[in-house]
Amino acid sequence: MNQAQVAKANQIADFLRRRVTFVQNANDYPWSRPYAGWQTLPTSEQFAKDLLADTEFRSFQLGTWLGTTDGEVITTAVRMVIPPIYQPEFDLAVDALKMAARMQQQEGQKVALSIVGAGIIGAGLIYAGRSAA
């Protein structure tokens, strides 16, 4: 990873340390926490929607209308916070971040298309107005 990707991964990891509540303490050993089956994890889609509702998450711009952040950056960031030994929680966080990035990208594409469409309509109206005069 290049320097910008490492910085982005660190930024995401800092956010996750404050935001992830479905892992009690990532520094605990798996055998020192309650059986994971007793804990209800959110779905990837629920967590992705929660992330999109968070202003700080949106500021990372993991998904822009041009593309999404590299999956390696996301996986590295999650690994800094949730060790892969917490497999369900780890997978949930990675999947939700990638999903939220895709959702953010789709929103950006809709906005970009709306702006382009409005510009084309505006140009057409101006041209029609000049032709009529």
Side-chain angles (χ1 to χ4, degrees), residues 59 75 78 132:
S59 71
T75 302
V78 173

Side-chain angles (χ1 to χ4, degrees), residues 44-53 57-58 62-65 67-68 95-110:
S44 296
E45 187 174 338
Q46 287 170 327
F47 190 44
K49 287 179 180 179
D50 288 346
L51 291 170
L52 281 175
F57 173 81
R58 285 189 163 281
L62 297 185
T64 65
W65 68 280
T68 60
D95 292 345
L97 282 164
K98 289 179 180 179
M99 185 182 300
R102 283 191 306 274
M103 293 164 89
Q104 192 175 33
Q105 176 192 22
Q106 290 168 351
E107 288 175 2
Q109 289 172 342
K110 287 177 188 176

Side-chain angles (χ1 to χ4, degrees), residues 10-116:
N10 285 326
Q11 186 182 34
I12 296 166
D14 288 341
F15 169 77
L16 289 174
R17 283 185 189 97
R18 294 186 309 274
R19 182 67 172 78
V20 170
T21 59
F22 49 81
V23 176
Q24 295 301 322
N25 184 349
N27 295 322
D28 289 343
Y29 293 103
W31 53 83
S32 68
R33 65 186 170 112
Y35 171 65
W38 297 332
Q39 180 183 10
T40 304
L41 295 175
T43 65
S44 296
E45 187 174 338
Q46 287 170 327
F47 190 44
K49 287 179 180 179
D50 288 346
L51 291 170
L52 281 175
D54 190 297
T55 308
E56 182 181 2
F57 173 81
R58 285 189 163 281
S59 71
F60 298 148
Q61 295 191 348
L62 297 185
T64 65
W65 68 280
L66 293 174
T68 60
T69 298
D70 185 328
E72 180 185 0
V73 171
I74 291 172
T75 302
T76 299
V78 173
R79 190 174 293 120
M80 290 179 194
V81 179
I82 306 171
I85 196 162
Y86 291 89
Q87 196 66 45
E89 294 90 344
F90 179 84
D91 291 343
L92 168 66
V94 170
D95 292 345
L97 282 164
K98 289 179 180 179
M99 185 182 300
R102 283 191 306 274
M103 293 164 89
Q104 192 175 33
Q105 176 192 22
Q106 290 168 351
E107 288 175 2
Q109 289 172 342
K110 287 177 188 176
V111 169
L113 286 173
S114 297
I115 291 170
V116 168

